Amino acid sequence: MVLTKDIYNKLRGKSTPSGFTVDDIIQTGVDNPGHPFIMTVGCVAGDEESYEVFKDLLDPIISDRHSGYKPTDKHRTDLNFENLKGGDDLDPAYVLSSRVRTGRSIKGFTLPPHNSRGERRTIEKLSIEALATLSGEFKGKYYPLNGMTDKEQDQLINDHFLFDKPVSPLLTCAGMARDWPDARGIWHNDAKTFLVWVNEEDHLRVISMQQGGNMKEVFRRFCTGLLKIEETFKKHNHGFMWNEHLGYVLTCPSNLGTGLRGGVHVKLPKLSTHAKFEEILTRLRLQKRGTGGVDTASVGGVFDISNADRLGSSEVDQVQMVVDGVKLMVAMEKKLEKSESIDDMIPAQK
Amino acid sequence: SVGAVGLYYINYIALVAEYPDLRQHNNCMASHLTPAIYAKLCDKSTPNGYTLDQAIQTGVDNPGHPFIKTVGMVAGDEETYEVFADLLDPIIRERHNGYDCRTMTHPTDLDSSKLHSGRFDERYVLSSRVRTGRSIRGLSLPPACTRAERREVERVTVDALAGLSGDLAGKYYSLTQMTDAEQQQLIDDHFLFDKPVSPLLTCAGMARDWPDARGIWHNNEKTFLVWINEEDHTRVISMEKGGNMKRVFDRFCRGLKEVERMIQEKGWEFMWNEKLGYILTCPSNLGTGLRAGVHVNLPRLSKDPRFSKILDNLRLQKRGTGGVDTAAVGSTFDISNLDRLGQSEVQLVQTVVDGVNYLIECEKKLEKGQDIKVPAPPKGN
């Protein structure tokens, strides 16, 4: 953390219009000294204005977290799926599933660390209304956490859709589990390939996913669905929080920009034990996680591989990096299976 | 035009949008927080800025406890009990046996010489303990305190404890600075408290900034112990193996009075008033804040179907030997007073002494195949 005494003293007396203070921003970081697998941010935003009022603290953190992103830099948004090259030919013998997620915050409301029950309920209401207008491949149903039947709950668990009350102290210490399960819920389309979480770590988390390696299709559905949802919110005078410096504004500074994590579950038992695995990932601007998500380790050589960047490059750029990088790593895995060297395949730093 | 009544109604509806969903809840806060009371209190705050939503958060987040009906709210400072009296008064009435703090006064009595028959049969009583809490007036309580306030609580208390002498002389172990060896010793002595994991405490914000300004002080004889900045500013505990509750209570009163004298010398005092007695974080600990208890072995009595009724009429409570969140293991129980407010320290410890002696008599009767009697409930119940 970059919180010096000087910066703390400067920011101590300030608060956002909704009353969020620097102590509120940093509480989760004070209470959670470190994470075993990933360097955590240690800060959250309570509202859109947090990023402005506390820029003396958050700008250096953003720069640190997002590869030197400067306060004067501009972020590009590109949700035109046709700009993605390839992505429909990842080998399903290795790539087990493909997924793209992002978050969206509804302008005019405070964020999960700070919002009141009334705000959260209104966010839920607006989200239900917006999602109910979707049709065709996006026709679906909303399941409020408070009120689903046991049968619905079991089905959502089997589909791996149900999110639990947060137990991670990174989230609970930031106040995001308050009033659980009030106004929390899950919406998904009938085909179970497009999913929205309401009022978990962000106002909305939007997820497109399917078995196999057709990331192109996953991304098409992602962009199409997201833009339809945004259109409906805008019609009702509730846009998403976005600005040309920070892109989409979300609770955790690590998710600014695109808020996008595009990834695959991929079998790389040989490559993952290769001495250069970490370096390859770094050069490809990719990140590994266990298949249980951010708080888990890998099991059986299957990894969750996704983009490391969020801010300073577009959605298309980031998914392109995943598509190209995973394709290369699967090719490397195949070489290693034949006991051949991969030294001439090691990529340059992107 | 809308008019005054209409404006009230509109405001009421808007505020009800914030009203928590308590339909699954079983705690005192849920029993008493009507929409009307919520509307009346929701935009008030104490001088320190503590709000109703903050006070009730723990009760909203924790619908019910399997063994005990929880209070469901906490105080962030001394003024909470006044500013939110419309909600706290009925909760206090429910939790403390009808005690009406608007009309009654609470007796404080730390003269341990008044205790009689305070030595138990050690074939049954394994250990004796008395605990209470004290808050330092002028500093916010654990749910709301800043790091600076918490550190000040630590400084004031450690300073006062350093002045104790004789059998009370001891040492402070700060959670942030203790050595591994010290930590292991405190664990072996069963003195070390952990970072709270109970959501009743974490949802109220009491674990913030852990382990900053938290620590344990104990005397060299390991019979007098003070916890700093856990669930209250201070928890004061007198304990020893065996059945000499009289000696435990003597030391308890003596130690408390000494500590109070020390802080007063420096211009501080404990939070106390004649309506509510000692002010602590949880409304269940108001009054004396006192829990006097024993670990007692009652293999026959505990299996008797009348056991719970006997305890009720003796105004006693059973817990597992791991404390409030545990069930009993085998036939050894933690037996302590139910009441905290409306009776003095001397009265409550006497109740425990008389009650535990009665339980032991029952156990002995059952050993000899004799029958036992359920005692009459106290007058007025």
Side-chain angles (χ1 to χ4, degrees), chain A residues 8 23 26-27 30-31 116-118 121 146 165 178-179 182, chain B residues 17-21 24 38 53 57 60-61 147 195 208-210:
Chain A
Y8 184 72
D23 283 333
I26 66 174
Q27 189 69 60
V30 173
D31 289 345
S116 68
R117 280 180 293 273
R121 288 163 178 171
N146 204 13
K165 178 170 175 175
R178 286 173 303 126
D179 312 313
D182 197 312
Chain B
E18 293 286 353
Y19 181 73
D21 181 351
Q24 323 284 348
Y38 185 79
D53 280 336
Q57 190 68 61
V60 174
D61 289 345
R147 279 179 293 275
K195 178 169 178 174
R208 287 171 304 126
D209 314 313
W210 202 273

PDB file of all heavy atoms in Angstrom, chain A residues 8 23 26-27 30-31 116-118 121 146 165 178-179 182, chain B residues 17-21 24 38 53 57 60-61 147 195 208-210:
ATOM      1  N   TYR A   8      -2.189  10.191   4.420  1.00  0.00           N
ATOM      2  CA  TYR A   8      -3.263   9.910   5.373  1.00  0.00           C
ATOM      3  C   TYR A   8      -3.731  11.198   6.033  1.00  0.00           C
ATOM      4  O   TYR A   8      -4.935  11.469   6.133  1.00  0.00           O
ATOM      5  CB  TYR A   8      -2.801   8.891   6.422  1.00  0.00           C
ATOM      6  CG  TYR A   8      -3.892   8.483   7.386  1.00  0.00           C
ATOM      7  CD1 TYR A   8      -4.932   7.658   6.973  1.00  0.00           C
ATOM      8  CD2 TYR A   8      -3.890   8.932   8.706  1.00  0.00           C
ATOM      9  CE1 TYR A   8      -5.947   7.293   7.851  1.00  0.00           C
ATOM     10  CE2 TYR A   8      -4.893   8.563   9.592  1.00  0.00           C
ATOM     11  CZ  TYR A   8      -5.919   7.738   9.157  1.00  0.00           C
ATOM     12  OH  TYR A   8      -6.922   7.377  10.020  1.00  0.00           O
ATOM     13  N   ASP A  23     -10.725   6.209   6.024  1.00  0.00           N
ATOM     14  CA  ASP A  23     -10.703   5.017   6.884  1.00  0.00           C
ATOM     15  C   ASP A  23     -11.607   3.925   6.327  1.00  0.00           C
ATOM     16  O   ASP A  23     -11.278   2.741   6.400  1.00  0.00           O
ATOM     17  CB  ASP A  23     -11.127   5.374   8.318  1.00  0.00           C
ATOM     18  CG  ASP A  23     -10.012   6.064   9.097  1.00  0.00           C
ATOM     19  OD1 ASP A  23      -8.826   5.830   8.790  1.00  0.00           O
ATOM     20  OD2 ASP A  23     -10.330   6.851  10.014  1.00  0.00           O
ATOM     21  N   ILE A  26      -9.800   2.172   3.352  1.00  0.00           N
ATOM     22  CA  ILE A  26      -8.661   1.297   3.644  1.00  0.00           C
ATOM     23  C   ILE A  26      -8.953   0.172   4.635  1.00  0.00           C
ATOM     24  O   ILE A  26      -8.093  -0.683   4.864  1.00  0.00           O
ATOM     25  CB  ILE A  26      -7.451   2.106   4.171  1.00  0.00           C
ATOM     26  CG1 ILE A  26      -7.760   2.730   5.542  1.00  0.00           C
ATOM     27  CG2 ILE A  26      -7.013   3.145   3.150  1.00  0.00           C
ATOM     28  CD1 ILE A  26      -6.546   3.413   6.188  1.00  0.00           C
ATOM     29  N   GLN A  27     -10.131   0.165   5.258  1.00  0.00           N
ATOM     30  CA  GLN A  27     -10.400  -0.814   6.334  1.00  0.00           C
ATOM     31  C   GLN A  27     -10.074  -2.243   5.912  1.00  0.00           C
ATOM     32  O   GLN A  27      -9.435  -2.985   6.665  1.00  0.00           O
ATOM     33  CB  GLN A  27     -11.862  -0.723   6.783  1.00  0.00           C
ATOM     34  CG  GLN A  27     -12.150  -1.554   8.036  1.00  0.00           C
ATOM     35  CD  GLN A  27     -11.470  -0.979   9.263  1.00  0.00           C
ATOM     36  OE1 GLN A  27     -11.716   0.162   9.663  1.00  0.00           O
ATOM     37  NE2 GLN A  27     -10.592  -1.747   9.881  1.00  0.00           N
ATOM     38  N   VAL A  30      -6.344  -2.770   5.967  1.00  0.00           N
ATOM     39  CA  VAL A  30      -5.790  -2.794   7.328  1.00  0.00           C
ATOM     40  C   VAL A  30      -6.066  -4.154   7.976  1.00  0.00           C
ATOM     41  O   VAL A  30      -5.202  -4.742   8.619  1.00  0.00           O
ATOM     42  CB  VAL A  30      -6.405  -1.670   8.192  1.00  0.00           C
ATOM     43  CG1 VAL A  30      -5.964  -1.793   9.647  1.00  0.00           C
ATOM     44  CG2 VAL A  30      -6.017  -0.305   7.639  1.00  0.00           C
ATOM     45  N   ASP A  31      -7.278  -4.665   7.768  1.00  0.00           N
ATOM     46  CA  ASP A  31      -7.686  -5.914   8.413  1.00  0.00           C
ATOM     47  C   ASP A  31      -7.112  -7.149   7.743  1.00  0.00           C
ATOM     48  O   ASP A  31      -7.148  -8.237   8.332  1.00  0.00           O
ATOM     49  CB  ASP A  31      -9.220  -6.030   8.408  1.00  0.00           C
ATOM     50  CG  ASP A  31      -9.888  -5.038   9.363  1.00  0.00           C
ATOM     51  OD1 ASP A  31      -9.189  -4.465  10.213  1.00  0.00           O
ATOM     52  OD2 ASP A  31     -11.109  -4.839   9.240  1.00  0.00           O
ATOM     53  N   SER A 116     -26.951   1.540   1.220  1.00  0.00           N
ATOM     54  CA  SER A 116     -27.976   1.234   2.209  1.00  0.00           C
ATOM     55  C   SER A 116     -28.890   0.150   1.642  1.00  0.00           C
ATOM     56  O   SER A 116     -28.853  -0.162   0.450  1.00  0.00           O
ATOM     57  CB  SER A 116     -28.797   2.485   2.499  1.00  0.00           C
ATOM     58  OG  SER A 116     -29.558   2.822   1.354  1.00  0.00           O
ATOM     59  N   ARG A 117     -29.741  -0.392   2.508  1.00  0.00           N
ATOM     60  CA  ARG A 117     -30.692  -1.407   2.054  1.00  0.00           C
ATOM     61  C   ARG A 117     -31.596  -0.846   0.966  1.00  0.00           C
ATOM     62  O   ARG A 117     -31.890  -1.526  -0.019  1.00  0.00           O
ATOM     63  CB  ARG A 117     -31.550  -1.892   3.237  1.00  0.00           C
ATOM     64  CG  ARG A 117     -30.850  -2.906   4.125  1.00  0.00           C
ATOM     65  CD  ARG A 117     -31.742  -3.332   5.271  1.00  0.00           C
ATOM     66  NE  ARG A 117     -31.968  -2.224   6.196  1.00  0.00           N
ATOM     67  CZ  ARG A 117     -31.158  -1.914   7.216  1.00  0.00           C
ATOM     68  NH1 ARG A 117     -30.071  -2.630   7.434  1.00  0.00           N
ATOM     69  NH2 ARG A 117     -31.443  -0.888   7.985  1.00  0.00           N
ATOM     70  N   GLY A 118     -32.035   0.412   1.146  1.00  0.00           N
ATOM     71  CA  GLY A 118     -32.926   1.028   0.155  1.00  0.00           C
ATOM     72  C   GLY A 118     -32.276   1.116  -1.212  1.00  0.00           C
ATOM     73  O   GLY A 118     -32.893   0.803  -2.233  1.00  0.00           O
ATOM     74  N   ARG A 121     -31.912  -2.363  -2.761  1.00  0.00           N
ATOM     75  CA  ARG A 121     -33.197  -2.880  -3.251  1.00  0.00           C
ATOM     76  C   ARG A 121     -33.597  -2.217  -4.556  1.00  0.00           C
ATOM     77  O   ARG A 121     -34.168  -2.861  -5.441  1.00  0.00           O
ATOM     78  CB  ARG A 121     -34.280  -2.654  -2.187  1.00  0.00           C
ATOM     79  CG  ARG A 121     -34.115  -3.567  -0.986  1.00  0.00           C
ATOM     80  CD  ARG A 121     -34.913  -3.061   0.201  1.00  0.00           C
ATOM     81  NE  ARG A 121     -34.783  -3.961   1.346  1.00  0.00           N
ATOM     82  CZ  ARG A 121     -35.227  -3.675   2.573  1.00  0.00           C
ATOM     83  NH1 ARG A 121     -35.839  -2.525   2.792  1.00  0.00           N
ATOM     84  NH2 ARG A 121     -35.058  -4.541   3.558  1.00  0.00           N
ATOM     85  N   ASN A 146     -33.200 -14.482  -1.464  1.00  0.00           N
ATOM     86  CA  ASN A 146     -34.150 -14.596  -0.371  1.00  0.00           C
ATOM     87  C   ASN A 146     -35.501 -14.991  -0.941  1.00  0.00           C
ATOM     88  O   ASN A 146     -36.286 -14.158  -1.316  1.00  0.00           O
ATOM     89  CB  ASN A 146     -34.256 -13.245   0.332  1.00  0.00           C
ATOM     90  CG  ASN A 146     -34.713 -13.396   1.751  1.00  0.00           C
ATOM     91  OD1 ASN A 146     -34.720 -14.489   2.293  1.00  0.00           O
ATOM     92  ND2 ASN A 146     -35.077 -12.278   2.357  1.00  0.00           N
ATOM     93  N   LYS A 165     -22.955 -16.191   0.294  1.00  0.00           N
ATOM     94  CA  LYS A 165     -22.596 -15.054   1.137  1.00  0.00           C
ATOM     95  C   LYS A 165     -21.072 -15.037   1.212  1.00  0.00           C
ATOM     96  O   LYS A 165     -20.458 -16.061   1.465  1.00  0.00           O
ATOM     97  CB  LYS A 165     -23.176 -15.286   2.522  1.00  0.00           C
ATOM     98  CG  LYS A 165     -22.842 -14.193   3.509  1.00  0.00           C
ATOM     99  CD  LYS A 165     -23.657 -14.386   4.767  1.00  0.00           C
ATOM    100  CE  LYS A 165     -23.249 -13.375   5.820  1.00  0.00           C
ATOM    101  NZ  LYS A 165     -24.103 -13.453   7.001  1.00  0.00           N
ATOM    102  N   ARG A 178     -23.110  -6.960   4.276  1.00  0.00           N
ATOM    103  CA  ARG A 178     -24.162  -6.434   5.147  1.00  0.00           C
ATOM    104  C   ARG A 178     -25.559  -6.782   4.626  1.00  0.00           C
ATOM    105  O   ARG A 178     -25.794  -6.800   3.423  1.00  0.00           O
ATOM    106  CB  ARG A 178     -24.050  -4.906   5.246  1.00  0.00           C
ATOM    107  CG  ARG A 178     -22.897  -4.398   6.114  1.00  0.00           C
ATOM    108  CD  ARG A 178     -22.769  -2.882   5.992  1.00  0.00           C
ATOM    109  NE  ARG A 178     -22.582  -2.497   4.611  1.00  0.00           N
ATOM    110  CZ  ARG A 178     -23.330  -1.616   3.955  1.00  0.00           C
ATOM    111  NH1 ARG A 178     -24.316  -0.991   4.578  1.00  0.00           N
ATOM    112  NH2 ARG A 178     -23.093  -1.349   2.698  1.00  0.00           N
ATOM    113  N   ASP A 179     -26.454  -7.068   5.565  1.00  0.00           N
ATOM    114  CA  ASP A 179     -27.870  -7.306   5.282  1.00  0.00           C
ATOM    115  C   ASP A 179     -28.118  -8.522   4.387  1.00  0.00           C
ATOM    116  O   ASP A 179     -29.195  -8.663   3.810  1.00  0.00           O
ATOM    117  CB  ASP A 179     -28.504  -6.068   4.598  1.00  0.00           C
ATOM    118  CG  ASP A 179     -28.160  -4.774   5.306  1.00  0.00           C
ATOM    119  OD1 ASP A 179     -28.274  -4.729   6.535  1.00  0.00           O
ATOM    120  OD2 ASP A 179     -27.745  -3.805   4.633  1.00  0.00           O
ATOM    121  N   ASP A 182     -30.521  -9.876   1.598  1.00  0.00           N
ATOM    122  CA  ASP A 182     -31.464  -8.849   1.152  1.00  0.00           C
ATOM    123  C   ASP A 182     -31.041  -8.259  -0.200  1.00  0.00           C
ATOM    124  O   ASP A 182     -29.935  -7.764  -0.344  1.00  0.00           O
ATOM    125  CB  ASP A 182     -31.509  -7.750   2.222  1.00  0.00           C
ATOM    126  CG  ASP A 182     -32.714  -6.837   2.101  1.00  0.00           C
ATOM    127  OD1 ASP A 182     -33.005  -6.362   0.996  1.00  0.00           O
ATOM    128  OD2 ASP A 182     -33.356  -6.586   3.137  1.00  0.00           O
TER     129      ASP A 182
ATOM    130  N   ALA B  17     -38.555   2.083   3.001  1.00  0.00           N
ATOM    131  CA  ALA B  17     -37.777   1.439   1.941  1.00  0.00           C
ATOM    132  C   ALA B  17     -36.446   0.934   2.483  1.00  0.00           C
ATOM    133  O   ALA B  17     -35.860   0.008   1.948  1.00  0.00           O
ATOM    134  CB  ALA B  17     -37.529   2.415   0.795  1.00  0.00           C
ATOM    135  N   GLU B  18     -35.979   1.557   3.574  1.00  0.00           N
ATOM    136  CA  GLU B  18     -34.709   1.165   4.182  1.00  0.00           C
ATOM    137  C   GLU B  18     -34.894   0.145   5.294  1.00  0.00           C
ATOM    138  O   GLU B  18     -33.939  -0.412   5.795  1.00  0.00           O
ATOM    139  CB  GLU B  18     -34.028   2.409   4.793  1.00  0.00           C
ATOM    140  CG  GLU B  18     -33.577   3.431   3.780  1.00  0.00           C
ATOM    141  CD  GLU B  18     -32.342   2.987   3.031  1.00  0.00           C
ATOM    142  OE1 GLU B  18     -31.750   1.958   3.383  1.00  0.00           O
ATOM    143  OE2 GLU B  18     -31.972   3.665   2.062  1.00  0.00           O
ATOM    144  N   TYR B  19     -36.132  -0.028   5.698  1.00  0.00           N
ATOM    145  CA  TYR B  19     -36.410  -0.869   6.870  1.00  0.00           C
ATOM    146  C   TYR B  19     -35.930  -2.294   6.612  1.00  0.00           C
ATOM    147  O   TYR B  19     -36.240  -2.881   5.587  1.00  0.00           O
ATOM    148  CB  TYR B  19     -37.908  -0.829   7.154  1.00  0.00           C
ATOM    149  CG  TYR B  19     -38.342  -1.629   8.343  1.00  0.00           C
ATOM    150  CD1 TYR B  19     -38.070  -1.189   9.635  1.00  0.00           C
ATOM    151  CD2 TYR B  19     -39.017  -2.839   8.192  1.00  0.00           C
ATOM    152  CE1 TYR B  19     -38.466  -1.923  10.738  1.00  0.00           C
ATOM    153  CE2 TYR B  19     -39.414  -3.581   9.289  1.00  0.00           C
ATOM    154  CZ  TYR B  19     -39.138  -3.127  10.559  1.00  0.00           C
ATOM    155  OH  TYR B  19     -39.519  -3.850  11.639  1.00  0.00           O
ATOM    156  N   PRO B  20     -35.155  -2.880   7.536  1.00  0.00           N
ATOM    157  CA  PRO B  20     -34.593  -4.201   7.274  1.00  0.00           C
ATOM    158  C   PRO B  20     -35.654  -5.293   7.214  1.00  0.00           C
ATOM    159  O   PRO B  20     -36.692  -5.197   7.870  1.00  0.00           O
ATOM    160  CB  PRO B  20     -33.667  -4.427   8.477  1.00  0.00           C
ATOM    161  CG  PRO B  20     -34.135  -3.505   9.536  1.00  0.00           C
ATOM    162  CD  PRO B  20     -34.754  -2.336   8.851  1.00  0.00           C
ATOM    163  N   ASP B  21     -35.358  -6.341   6.442  1.00  0.00           N
ATOM    164  CA  ASP B  21     -36.244  -7.497   6.343  1.00  0.00           C
ATOM    165  C   ASP B  21     -35.928  -8.429   7.505  1.00  0.00           C
ATOM    166  O   ASP B  21     -34.910  -9.120   7.493  1.00  0.00           O
ATOM    167  CB  ASP B  21     -36.018  -8.194   4.999  1.00  0.00           C
ATOM    168  CG  ASP B  21     -36.931  -9.394   4.811  1.00  0.00           C
ATOM    169  OD1 ASP B  21     -37.614  -9.795   5.775  1.00  0.00           O
ATOM    170  OD2 ASP B  21     -36.959  -9.934   3.694  1.00  0.00           O
ATOM    171  N   GLN B  24     -37.065 -13.488   9.068  1.00  0.00           N
ATOM    172  CA  GLN B  24     -36.461 -14.766   9.498  1.00  0.00           C
ATOM    173  C   GLN B  24     -35.796 -14.635  10.855  1.00  0.00           C
ATOM    174  O   GLN B  24     -35.072 -15.524  11.284  1.00  0.00           O
ATOM    175  CB  GLN B  24     -35.354 -15.196   8.517  1.00  0.00           C
ATOM    176  CG  GLN B  24     -35.604 -14.894   7.064  1.00  0.00           C
ATOM    177  CD  GLN B  24     -36.599 -15.836   6.455  1.00  0.00           C
ATOM    178  OE1 GLN B  24     -36.930 -16.846   7.079  1.00  0.00           O
ATOM    179  NE2 GLN B  24     -37.106 -15.522   5.288  1.00  0.00           N
ATOM    180  N   TYR B  38     -38.242   2.658  13.623  1.00  0.00           N
ATOM    181  CA  TYR B  38     -37.164   2.826  12.652  1.00  0.00           C
ATOM    182  C   TYR B  38     -37.248   4.197  11.990  1.00  0.00           C
ATOM    183  O   TYR B  38     -36.254   4.925  11.890  1.00  0.00           O
ATOM    184  CB  TYR B  38     -37.199   1.717  11.595  1.00  0.00           C
ATOM    185  CG  TYR B  38     -36.033   1.790  10.642  1.00  0.00           C
ATOM    186  CD1 TYR B  38     -34.784   1.325  11.012  1.00  0.00           C
ATOM    187  CD2 TYR B  38     -36.162   2.387   9.386  1.00  0.00           C
ATOM    188  CE1 TYR B  38     -33.692   1.420  10.164  1.00  0.00           C
ATOM    189  CE2 TYR B  38     -35.078   2.491   8.527  1.00  0.00           C
ATOM    190  CZ  TYR B  38     -33.845   2.006   8.919  1.00  0.00           C
ATOM    191  OH  TYR B  38     -32.773   2.118   8.079  1.00  0.00           O
ATOM    192  N   ASP B  53     -28.550   2.389  11.968  1.00  0.00           N
ATOM    193  CA  ASP B  53     -28.179   1.295  11.075  1.00  0.00           C
ATOM    194  C   ASP B  53     -26.902   0.602  11.533  1.00  0.00           C
ATOM    195  O   ASP B  53     -26.778  -0.614  11.469  1.00  0.00           O
ATOM    196  CB  ASP B  53     -28.011   1.795   9.626  1.00  0.00           C
ATOM    197  CG  ASP B  53     -29.346   1.961   8.908  1.00  0.00           C
ATOM    198  OD1 ASP B  53     -30.329   1.303   9.309  1.00  0.00           O
ATOM    199  OD2 ASP B  53     -29.417   2.755   7.946  1.00  0.00           O
ATOM    200  N   GLN B  57     -26.805  -3.370  12.771  1.00  0.00           N
ATOM    201  CA  GLN B  57     -26.240  -4.190  11.693  1.00  0.00           C
ATOM    202  C   GLN B  57     -26.012  -5.642  12.114  1.00  0.00           C
ATOM    203  O   GLN B  57     -26.344  -6.573  11.380  1.00  0.00           O
ATOM    204  CB  GLN B  57     -24.912  -3.582  11.193  1.00  0.00           C
ATOM    205  CG  GLN B  57     -24.392  -4.227   9.918  1.00  0.00           C
ATOM    206  CD  GLN B  57     -25.293  -3.907   8.729  1.00  0.00           C
ATOM    207  OE1 GLN B  57     -25.489  -2.759   8.354  1.00  0.00           O
ATOM    208  NE2 GLN B  57     -25.870  -4.946   8.120  1.00  0.00           N
ATOM    209  N   VAL B  60     -29.255  -7.502  12.062  1.00  0.00           N
ATOM    210  CA  VAL B  60     -29.775  -7.721  10.710  1.00  0.00           C
ATOM    211  C   VAL B  60     -29.012  -8.870  10.052  1.00  0.00           C
ATOM    212  O   VAL B  60     -29.594  -9.738   9.400  1.00  0.00           O
ATOM    213  CB  VAL B  60     -29.638  -6.447   9.852  1.00  0.00           C
ATOM    214  CG1 VAL B  60     -30.038  -6.708   8.405  1.00  0.00           C
ATOM    215  CG2 VAL B  60     -30.471  -5.321  10.432  1.00  0.00           C
ATOM    216  N   ASP B  61     -27.689  -8.886  10.250  1.00  0.00           N
ATOM    217  CA  ASP B  61     -26.832  -9.882   9.594  1.00  0.00           C
ATOM    218  C   ASP B  61     -26.892 -11.253  10.263  1.00  0.00           C
ATOM    219  O   ASP B  61     -26.435 -12.235   9.683  1.00  0.00           O
ATOM    220  CB  ASP B  61     -25.375  -9.400   9.599  1.00  0.00           C
ATOM    221  CG  ASP B  61     -25.143  -8.228   8.642  1.00  0.00           C
ATOM    222  OD1 ASP B  61     -26.004  -7.979   7.778  1.00  0.00           O
ATOM    223  OD2 ASP B  61     -24.100  -7.565   8.768  1.00  0.00           O
ATOM    224  N   ARG B 147      -8.893   3.933  15.471  1.00  0.00           N
ATOM    225  CA  ARG B 147      -7.636   3.336  15.936  1.00  0.00           C
ATOM    226  C   ARG B 147      -7.054   4.168  17.068  1.00  0.00           C
ATOM    227  O   ARG B 147      -6.556   3.637  18.064  1.00  0.00           O
ATOM    228  CB  ARG B 147      -6.624   3.214  14.787  1.00  0.00           C
ATOM    229  CG  ARG B 147      -6.846   2.001  13.882  1.00  0.00           C
ATOM    230  CD  ARG B 147      -5.820   1.946  12.761  1.00  0.00           C
ATOM    231  NE  ARG B 147      -6.015   3.058  11.830  1.00  0.00           N
ATOM    232  CZ  ARG B 147      -6.877   3.047  10.808  1.00  0.00           C
ATOM    233  NH1 ARG B 147      -7.631   1.998  10.580  1.00  0.00           N
ATOM    234  NH2 ARG B 147      -6.990   4.109  10.032  1.00  0.00           N
ATOM    235  N   LYS B 195      -8.680 -13.392  17.719  1.00  0.00           N
ATOM    236  CA  LYS B 195      -9.476 -12.505  16.867  1.00  0.00           C
ATOM    237  C   LYS B 195     -10.876 -13.104  16.796  1.00  0.00           C
ATOM    238  O   LYS B 195     -11.035 -14.291  16.553  1.00  0.00           O
ATOM    239  CB  LYS B 195      -8.860 -12.481  15.481  1.00  0.00           C
ATOM    240  CG  LYS B 195      -9.611 -11.640  14.488  1.00  0.00           C
ATOM    241  CD  LYS B 195      -8.783 -11.478  13.236  1.00  0.00           C
ATOM    242  CE  LYS B 195      -9.545 -10.679  12.199  1.00  0.00           C
ATOM    243  NZ  LYS B 195      -8.716 -10.393  11.028  1.00  0.00           N
ATOM    244  N   ARG B 208     -12.236  -4.873  13.717  1.00  0.00           N
ATOM    245  CA  ARG B 208     -11.480  -3.959  12.850  1.00  0.00           C
ATOM    246  C   ARG B 208     -10.068  -3.712  13.378  1.00  0.00           C
ATOM    247  O   ARG B 208      -9.841  -3.648  14.577  1.00  0.00           O
ATOM    248  CB  ARG B 208     -12.193  -2.607  12.752  1.00  0.00           C
ATOM    249  CG  ARG B 208     -13.478  -2.617  11.909  1.00  0.00           C
ATOM    250  CD  ARG B 208     -14.225  -1.281  12.053  1.00  0.00           C
ATOM    251  NE  ARG B 208     -14.516  -0.992  13.439  1.00  0.00           N
ATOM    252  CZ  ARG B 208     -14.184   0.134  14.062  1.00  0.00           C
ATOM    253  NH1 ARG B 208     -13.577   1.124  13.433  1.00  0.00           N
ATOM    254  NH2 ARG B 208     -14.487   0.292  15.339  1.00  0.00           N
ATOM    255  N   ASP B 209      -9.130  -3.600  12.420  1.00  0.00           N
ATOM    256  CA  ASP B 209      -7.742  -3.240  12.719  1.00  0.00           C
ATOM    257  C   ASP B 209      -7.021  -4.257  13.615  1.00  0.00           C
ATOM    258  O   ASP B 209      -5.988  -3.948  14.190  1.00  0.00           O
ATOM    259  CB  ASP B 209      -7.673  -1.865  13.408  1.00  0.00           C
ATOM    260  CG  ASP B 209      -8.538  -0.807  12.720  1.00  0.00           C
ATOM    261  OD1 ASP B 209      -8.461  -0.710  11.481  1.00  0.00           O
ATOM    262  OD2 ASP B 209      -9.301  -0.118  13.405  1.00  0.00           O
ATOM    263  N   TRP B 210      -7.618  -5.468  13.735  1.00  0.00           N
ATOM    264  CA  TRP B 210      -6.971  -6.486  14.585  1.00  0.00           C
ATOM    265  C   TRP B 210      -5.538  -6.727  14.121  1.00  0.00           C
ATOM    266  O   TRP B 210      -5.276  -6.802  12.921  1.00  0.00           O
ATOM    267  CB  TRP B 210      -7.789  -7.791  14.475  1.00  0.00           C
ATOM    268  CG  TRP B 210      -7.570  -8.695  15.632  1.00  0.00           C
ATOM    269  CD1 TRP B 210      -6.579  -9.633  15.771  1.00  0.00           C
ATOM    270  CD2 TRP B 210      -8.342  -8.731  16.837  1.00  0.00           C
ATOM    271  NE1 TRP B 210      -6.708 -10.239  16.990  1.00  0.00           N
ATOM    272  CE2 TRP B 210      -7.778  -9.720  17.668  1.00  0.00           C
ATOM    273  CE3 TRP B 210      -9.463  -8.026  17.297  1.00  0.00           C
ATOM    274  CZ2 TRP B 210      -8.298 -10.020  18.922  1.00  0.00           C
ATOM    275  CZ3 TRP B 210      -9.973  -8.329  18.533  1.00  0.00           C
ATOM    276  CH2 TRP B 210      -9.386  -9.327  19.324  1.00  0.00           C
TER     277      TRP B 210
END
